[in-house]
């Protein structure tokens, strides 16, 4: 059983801490902190040595983290699409790309010549149709 | 896209595909080569089917069946087969095997997916474009939306459906 005097002392200490915290202006305190100087004093390597990554990862629910990632937005905001495109090609798609590219080149060649014959400058393939045009955001 | 004489650059994708072509109206060469592939593929499948029927008849009855391209039944069944090949492909996915190979697709003139009705009308109107020395195809070369006569009749258009920009990035990543 805890002595009564000790309980009073603990309650008094807690109250004192509450009063000190409420009296503190945390924003002003943070303004005074020189974070750069603080970070200079931190030995990152030593800190990393002390972190048990396996234990940390075990405590993390990675599936939950992945579910929160908006893949569409990620692909839109980064050049991830280009990286995927660059890494996911096989021999068949190389041949397909080459065939399509050359045919498009022939399309352009014909269109350019038709433009010259009609004395109208050719400015690239027309389109897209109305419903395929990108719409302005809200 | 035309390379000058003495230009030592390796042959790569044409300059036009620096940007994605997806959704732009397809040109004459892509459409024509896709059609040529389709004619070859559909004719090949049809001839294989005739050969299979001949073989089955020989095994079952012991008699040989010979097919002449002037036979009325051959003409009728070939026409029906071609109709099914093109109409079904355009109705189901907007593209035939040849069109898938060359990355082009049939859509409604506003860009939405072509319906089964439009696919059927397009298939039926397709032979009309061959009349008068193929005058119906002139719209692909001269029209602002690159539409042939059968496209105008069916209210359709043909667009590029492949991602040219991704193809260019793949090319650049390997060069």
């Amino acid at each position: 059983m805890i002595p009564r005097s000790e309980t009073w002392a603990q309650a008094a200490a807690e109250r004192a801490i509450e009063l000190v915290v409420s009296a503190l202006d945390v924003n002003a305190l943070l303004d005074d902190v020189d974070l750069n100087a603080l970070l200079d004093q931190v030995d990152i390597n030593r800190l990393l040595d002390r972190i048990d990554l396996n234990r940390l990862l075990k405590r993390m629910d990675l599936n939950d983290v992945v579910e929160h990632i908006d893949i569409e937005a990620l692909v839109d905001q980064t050049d991830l699409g280009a990286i995927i495109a660059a890494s996911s090609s096989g021999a068949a798609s190389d041949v397909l790309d080459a065939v399509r590219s050359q045919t498009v080149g022939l399309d352009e060649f014909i269109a350019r010549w038709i433009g010259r014959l009609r004395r109208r400058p050719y400015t690239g393939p027309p389109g897209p149709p109305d419903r395929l045009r990108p719409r302005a955001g809200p | 896209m035309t390379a000058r004489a003495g230009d030592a650059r390796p042959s790569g994708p044409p300059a036009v595909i620096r940007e994605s072509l997806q959704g732009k109206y397809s040109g004459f060469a892509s459409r024509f080569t896709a059609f040529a592939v389709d004619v070859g593929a559909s004719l090949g499948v049809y001839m294989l089917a005739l050969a299979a029927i001949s073989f089955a008849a020989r095994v079952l009855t012991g008699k040989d069946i010979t097919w002449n391209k002037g036979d009325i039944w051959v003409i009728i069944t070939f026409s029906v087969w071609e109709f099914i090949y093109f109409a079904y492909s355009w109705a189901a996915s907007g593209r035939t095997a040849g069109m898938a190979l060359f990355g082009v697709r049939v859509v409604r003139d506003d860009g939405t997916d072509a319906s089964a009705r439009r696919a059927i009308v397009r298939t039926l109107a397709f032979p009309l474009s061959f009349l008068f020395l193929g005058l119906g195809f002139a719209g692909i070369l001269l029209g602002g939306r690159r539409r042939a006569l059968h496209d105008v009749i069916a209210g359709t258009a043909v667009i590029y459906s492949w991602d040219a920009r991704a193809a260019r990035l793949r090319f650049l990543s390997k060069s």
Side-chain angles (χ1 to χ4, degrees), chain B:
Chain B
M1 143 63 193
T2 49
R4 285 176 192 157
D7 197 336
R9 281 181 304 173
S11 64
V16 69
I17 68 169
R18 285 204 183 104
E19 57 183 275
S20 179
L21 289 173
Q22 272 179 322
K24 303 247 173 142
Y25 294 110
S26 169
F28 183 81
S30 294
R31 291 180 64 166
F32 180 77
T33 42
F35 173 67
V37 168
D38 282 326
V39 169
S42 60
L43 191 63
V45 170
Y46 181 73
M47 288 174 76
L48 271 175
L50 290 187
I53 291 168
S54 295
F55 178 74
R58 194 187 308 153
V59 169
L60 294 172
T61 66
K63 292 178 183 173
D64 281 339
I65 300 177
T66 53
W67 309 98
N68 295 315
K69 57 184 178 184
D71 286 351
I72 187 72
W73 284 111
V74 171
I75 294 169
I76 289 171
T77 53
F78 181 68
S79 302
V80 170
W81 161 240
E82 288 292 302
F83 174 80
I84 292 168
Y85 177 87
F86 284 101
Y88 177 76
S89 302
W90 287 333
S93 61
R95 68 190 90 187
T96 56
M99 294 176 94
L101 186 67
F102 285 92
V104 293
R105 191 161 74 94
V106 175
V107 291
R108 284 171 62 161
D109 47 11
D110 64 356
T112 53
D113 289 342
S115 61
R117 189 179 68 82
R118 281 177 199 264
I120 290 169
V121 173
R122 191 174 197 270
T123 313
L124 292 173
F126 190 59
L128 298 177
S129 292
F130 287 93
L131 297 178
F132 305 111
L133 300 171
L135 198 64
F137 293 106
I140 302 174
L141 294 169
L142 303 172
R145 294 161 74 188
R146 294 181 168 176
R147 297 206 298 166
L149 176 64
H150 55 277
D151 284 318
V152 176
I153 293 171
T156 56
V158 179
I159 57 168
Y160 292 112
S161 61
W162 66 295
D163 191 351
R165 187 168 172 266
R168 181 172 170 80
L169 287 167
R170 280 195 287 269
F171 172 79
L172 291 173
S173 71
K174 290 179 181 181
S175 58

Side-chain angles (χ1 to χ4, degrees), chain A residues 89-115:
Chain A
S89 72
S93 75
D94 284 353
V95 172
L96 207 59
D97 286 344
V99 168
R100 288 172 173 177
S101 299
Q102 294 307 316
T103 318
V104 167
L106 199 54
D107 284 338
E108 293 302 292
F109 178 77
I110 294 168
R112 200 165 286 126
W113 268 102
I114 295 287

Side-chain angles (χ1 to χ4, degrees), chain A:
Chain A
M1 184 163 175
I2 303 165
R4 204 170 183 181
S5 58
E6 207 170 297
T7 313
W8 286 348
Q10 193 175 346
E14 283 175 2
R15 181 64 189 147
I17 289 168
E18 275 176 24
L19 287 170
V20 169
V21 168
S22 62
L24 271 174
D25 185 354
V26 178
N27 289 329
L29 195 67
L30 285 173
D31 285 344
D32 288 345
V33 174
D34 185 354
L35 267 179
N36 288 327
L38 189 70
L39 287 171
D40 285 344
Q41 287 183 25
V42 176
D43 185 350
I44 298 288
N45 290 326
R46 198 173 155 212
L47 191 69
L48 286 173
D49 285 343
R50 292 182 67 178
I51 295 173
D52 185 351
L53 269 178
N54 289 329
R55 199 172 152 209
L56 187 70
L57 287 170
K58 273 180 192 167
R59 292 184 66 177
M60 283 174 70
D61 186 354
L62 280 176
N63 289 329
D64 191 44
V65 174
V66 170
E67 273 179 21
H68 279 81
I69 297 173
D70 185 351
I71 299 290
E72 295 286 330
L74 187 68
V75 171
D76 279 349
Q77 286 171 18
T78 64
D79 216 5
L80 201 60
I83 295 164
I84 293 166
S87 63
S88 63
S89 72
S93 75
D94 284 353
V95 172
L96 207 59
D97 286 344
V99 168
R100 288 172 173 177
S101 299
Q102 294 307 316
T103 318
V104 167
L106 199 54
D107 284 338
E108 293 302 292
F109 178 77
I110 294 168
R112 200 165 286 126
W113 268 102
I114 295 287
R116 278 184 198 174
L117 291 173
R118 298 173 72 194
R119 295 175 190 276
R120 287 184 188 179
Y122 178 67
T123 53
D130 293 340
R131 298 287 285 272
L132 292 179
R133 282 182 204 281
R135 306 216 179 273

